[in-house]
Amino acid sequence: MAREELTRLTGSGTGNCDNKDCPNVYRSPDGSIVVQGDSDTTFQPPAGEALVCIPESVLKEAVRALGW
């Protein structure tokens, strides 16, 4: 899937990212949630999965954008 196919739910950006591009939460055309953030190594997830860290404020912004 191309990034252009995703709907960006957050936009304030926090952390040390150029153009306030991360962390962010996106919605895919099928309604799935895609999360972008800093890698986390707390534990090793199953193959094909990853752990990412995003601030609580970014999740709250995404929830507001979805009207939940």
Side-chain angles (χ1 to χ4, degrees):
M1 169 182 341
R3 185 178 185 164
E4 293 76 28
E5 297 177 67
L6 300 173
T7 301
R8 189 171 173 169
L9 301 175
T10 56
S12 61
T14 59
N16 189 15
C17 299
D18 294 334
N19 299 320
K20 295 187 176 181
D21 194 34
C22 65
N24 272 300
V25 178
Y26 302 86
R27 189 173 208 174
S28 69
D30 70 1
S32 297
I33 301 298
V34 178
V35 179
Q36 175 187 0
D38 295 329
S39 299
D40 186 78
T41 58
T42 303
F43 66 89
Q44 183 64 42
E49 296 183 6
L51 301 177
V52 298
C53 296
I54 60 170
E56 182 179 319
S57 61
V58 173
L59 286 177
K60 287 180 178 179
E61 185 179 354
V63 168
R64 281 193 299 273
L66 291 168
W68 291 353

